[in-house]
Amino acid sequence: MRFSFLNLAKQALSAHRHWPEQWRFPEPKAEYDAIIIGAGGHGLGTAYYLAKEHGMRNIAVLEKGWLGGGNTGRNTTIIRSNYLWEESQGLYEHSVKLWENLSAELNYNVMYSPRGVMMLAHTVHDIQVFKRHVHANRLQGIDNEWLTPEQAKEFCPILNISSNMRYPILGAALQRRGGTARHDAVAWGYARAASAMGVDIIQNCEVKGIRRDLNGAVSGVETTKGFIGTKKIGVVAAGHTSVIMSMADVRMPLESYPLQALVSEPVKPIMPCVVMSNTIHAYMSQSDKGELVIGAGTDAYTSYSQTGGLHITTHTLDAICELFPNVRRLRMLRNWGGIVDVTPDRSPILSKTPVKGLYVNCGWGTGGFKATPGSANVFAHTIAKDEPHPINAAFTIDRFKTGRLIDEAAAAAVAH
Amino acid sequence: MLLIPCPHCGERPELEFRYAGEAHIARPADPSSTSDQEWAEYLYFRSNPKGLHIERWRHVSGCARFFNCVRDTVSDKILKTYPAGQPKPDLAVVLKEAGQ
Ligand SMILES: Cc1cc2nc3c(=O)[nH]c(=O)nc-3n(C[C@H](O)[C@H](O)[C@H](O)COP(=O)(O)OP(=O)(O)OC[C@H]3O[C@@H](n4cnc5c(N)ncnc54)[C@H](O)[C@@H]3O)c2cc1C
Ligand SMILES: [Zn+2]
């Protein structure tokens, strides 16, 4: 059932007790034309675009837990496209453009809010790096502008720009079209729209093995719900990518780290935008519920534990208290972790693999939520056509062999 | 926060250490005859297991020495640490010694 004013009014008459389920809960068929492993935003989105733009409807998304329960439901939802290199700008900007229309496209409110993302500079080096980003972005027609500390404070009035901070603010780069969206709604919106086109989303179904035929091509997956045949597999499993790829004997240039976030008790609107500081390791925004959403860098060591050390979050809060003195007495409500898959050059991999029929979308690390629609869109193209879309052509696994890395360490230094 | 037993100084909080990635990755002995694929393996490809991981740590705020550590990446429990230069331990034996 579509969400519309008419349907809302109709359902109101029966006290909203008769809305249908948003997606189906099917049992797996014996065989599909393609299988996506991982029902996060990127995996569900891939299935959606495969069905919608490439006419592949006999497909399934397999999820070991519940849909959207991975990093998609754990992230701090910052969206921006102010990356340094043309390849990245193409990919992230493709995504921002899709965000702008996504609620209408999915008939589901993903609450995309382009409230502006401001990145603070505290050192001469920061100033040089951010100005370089501003110029690189503007050459590509992507908005990004340089602000003085006073202009930064005007944009975010609770910001402390006094000169007696430990790391005073010397300026800021602002991308006005950057912002946030509702993370769960992105997973739910894609799931609902994909399911309506016939995509089977199978939850509580963990992939345990990848079966291959005599020529080495994939022929199906072993799961906790039995064997399911297919000739095309798209792995979209974030922190668990190395584990799944090893089932097909493919080694990956990835390491999985815990990344934490936390939220405060809810308060009235005090923060109109997103503020990030790579140098002192903190970023913050305010959700529509009123909670301050706070995050920082990863823990130091690789792990699959989905928790991290408390010293990481306290370090973040030190920086937050310095940047925003008026939040010092707020209590923190919740703290959690996700497992992020980090590549050596901090850019993702959306690529064919040495195994025929096996495709991988991973390496989004600390910053892939913003890319969800764009990534899903070009990855669906890659699977359907068995060749990359021009936008993701550079994001191969092979780049680590050829040396054509896409180094975004400066753009992604603090997790976001 | 992890409590890490430095083989030289004993148990200390994680804050005194710096993580240094997967252990027992040897630099190619003859760089000029090493292929691009081998360089990529050495520089970038990692085993990233869900389970026992052998990794390097450096006790920067203590003895400043590198050492190796066997840790379970699911529970984050450390099973064994040993000085750098010792051979890679047999993980089955490590598990047995740790009583698992
Ligand atoms: C704390 C935190 C804050 C973040 N903040 C931001 C931010 O502000 N902005 C931003 O752009 N990005 C951010 N990120 C990164 C972002 O969350 C991720 O890059 C993005 O959500 C990845 O989406 P995904 O769909 O690829 O992965 P996920 O949502 O993790 O989905 C992968 C799915 O695969 C499933 N799976 C794994 N193994 C198997 C198996 N064997 N069988 C079946 N299913 C399996 C998992 O259960 C999971 O549901 C943050 C991440 C974290 C953890
Ligand atoms: Zn020591």
Side-chain angles (χ1 to χ4, degrees):
Chain A
M1 187 187 295
R2 277 186 67 78
F3 293 121
S4 64
F5 181 73
L6 191 67
N7 279 332
L8 189 64
K10 268 194 204 151
Q11 295 297 326
L13 292 178
S14 55
H16 297 291
R17 277 190 306 253
H18 300 297
W19 286 104
E21 271 178 340
Q22 310 245 332
W23 46 80
R24 297 169 294 111
F25 292 81
E27 285 304 312
K29 294 183 205 160
E31 198 174 344
Y32 290 96
D33 295 340
I35 284 180
I36 305 299
I37 304 176
H42 290 243
L44 292 164
T46 302
Y48 169 80
Y49 292 112
L50 275 173
K52 179 167 170 256
E53 295 187 354
H54 305 282
M56 290 179 68
R57 309 241 158 151
N58 180 32
I59 61 178
V61 184
L62 309 184
E63 167 55 50
K64 77 176 159 80
W66 65 96
L67 70 85
N71 293 343
T72 298
R74 294 163 187 271
N75 84 96
T76 49
T77 78
I78 300 171
I79 295 172
R80 58 191 177 85
S81 60
N82 54 356
Y83 284 71
L84 182 62
W85 300 103
E86 283 171 27
E87 292 88 347
S88 326
Q89 291 167 3
L91 184 55
Y92 291 103
E93 181 63 14
H94 180 50
S95 211
V96 168
K97 293 220 167 93
L98 290 173
W99 277 116
E100 286 166 353
N101 233 345
L102 197 61
S103 293
E105 156 134 21
L106 297 179
N107 179 233
Y108 204 94
N109 189 359
V110 300
M111 296 163 76
Y112 169 56
S113 159
R115 56 183 70 182
V117 173
M118 193 160 74
M119 302 174 80
L120 304 176
H122 304 269
T123 64
V124 173
H125 176 74
D126 282 352
I127 296 179
Q128 290 166 344
V129 169
F130 285 146
K131 284 194 171 167
R132 186 177 174 205
H133 278 72
V134 168
H135 296 312
N137 291 158
R138 294 175 77 141
L139 283 171
Q140 294 295 313
I142 294 172
D143 77 301
N144 196 355
E145 60 197 271
W146 181 252
L147 304 184
T148 63
E150 292 72 28
Q151 289 170 321
K153 188 168 174 65
E154 207 173 301
F155 195 69
C156 183
I158 61 171
L159 192 62
N160 176 14
I161 55 165
S162 78
S163 56
N164 58 11
M165 285 171 78
R166 174 73 181 81
Y167 295 99
I169 293 164
L170 305 179
L174 170 65
Q175 184 173 35
R176 290 183 192 271
R177 284 160 64 243
T180 58
R182 172 83 202 279
H183 49 9
D184 294 327
V186 176
W188 298 339
Y190 274 125
R192 173 172 168 268
S195 178
M197 285 187 289
V199 174
D200 282 356
I201 302 166
I202 301 159
Q203 305 182 67
N204 297 313
C205 179
E206 180 173 356
V207 172
K208 296 287 212 183
I210 293 179
R211 209 185 274 181
R212 293 162 68 179
D213 65 20
L214 291 174
N215 302 320
V218 303
S219 62
V221 290
E222 315 283 354
T223 78
T224 46
K225 295 193 183 228
F227 175 79
I228 311 175
T230 188
K231 299 231 166 339
K232 290 188 175 200
I233 299 175
V235 178
V236 200
H240 280 80
T241 305
S242 299
V243 177
I244 295 175
M245 295 301 282
S246 73
M247 297 171 189
D249 300 320
V250 180
R251 267 169 72 81
M252 296 297 291
L254 291 173
E255 288 186 303
S256 298
Y257 291 91
L259 176 64
Q260 304 181 59
L262 64 166
V263 293
S264 74
E265 56 189 323
V267 289
K268 284 186 178 172
I270 55 169
M271 179 127 190
C273 58
V274 182
V275 173
M276 320 181 41
S277 168
N278 290 6
T279 299
I280 63 173
H281 300 151
Y283 61 83
M284 185 165 98
S285 66
Q286 188 169 18
S287 75
D288 293 338
K289 280 188 285 185
E291 298 167 337
L292 295 171
V293 182
I294 296 167
T298 63
D299 278 64
Y301 47 84
T302 61
S303 176
Y304 288 82
S305 63
Q306 279 199 150
T307 56
L310 201 55
H311 61 290
I312 302 284
T313 36
T314 36
H315 173 71
T316 306
L317 290 176
D318 290 346
I320 290 289
C321 290
E322 186 86 341
L323 289 175
F324 308 104
N326 67 340
V327 307
R328 280 185 185 172
R329 296 176 66 183
L330 283 184
R331 278 164 295 198
M332 294 298 138
L333 275 193
R334 296 188 302 280
N335 168 219
W336 65 90
I339 299 300
V340 298
D341 46 330
V342 177
T343 58
D345 61 1
R346 298 296 188 275
S347 284
I349 297 168
L350 296 104
S351 176
K352 295 171 70 166
T353 70
V355 176
K356 191 168 162 33
L358 185 66
Y359 308 83
V360 67
N361 180 348
C362 66
W364 290 101
T366 59
F369 176 72
K370 62 177 73 66
T372 305
S375 145
N377 184 259
V378 295
F379 192 53
H381 177 107
T382 308
I383 293 176
K385 308 262 191 257
D386 193 36
E387 63 182 27
H389 188 282
I391 290 178
N392 67 311
F395 294 88
T396 60
I397 307 183
D398 251 13
R399 72 176 186 267
F400 297 95
K401 190 170 89 185
T402 61
R404 289 195 67 91
L405 304 188
I406 306 165
D407 183 359
E408 292 290 358
V414 150
H416 33 77
Chain B
M1 188 179 310
L2 302 180
L3 268 181
I4 303 176
C6 169
H8 311 290
C9 314
E11 214 165 65
R12 299 291 179 85
E14 183 190 334
L15 285 178
E16 292 187 12
F17 298 83
R18 191 79 44 82
Y19 180 69
E22 188 169 354
H24 299 291
I25 298 177
R27 187 182 166 82
D30 181 8
S32 52
S33 70
T34 302
S35 71
D36 287 354
Q37 185 59 44
E38 284 160 347
W39 274 120
E41 277 288 330
Y42 164 69
L43 288 169
Y44 303 126
F45 286 69
R46 295 294 177 261
S47 51
N48 197 23
K50 185 173 183 175
L52 296 192
H53 186 230
I54 312 183
E55 60 202 21
R56 300 192 312 156
W57 286 84
R58 186 172 179 217
H59 195 185
V60 277
S61 306
C63 61
R65 292 158 82 173
F66 281 96
F67 61 90
N68 293 333
C69 169
V70 183
R71 186 174 52 90
D72 183 337
T73 61
V74 178
S75 62
D76 288 338
K77 192 172 165 203
I78 292 172
L79 281 76
K80 180 188 173 78
T81 55
Y82 54 98
Q86 286 189 5
K88 193 172 179 170
D90 181 341
L91 290 180
V93 175
V94 173
L95 272 177
K96 218 175 188 178
E97 280 170 5
Q100 289 184 6

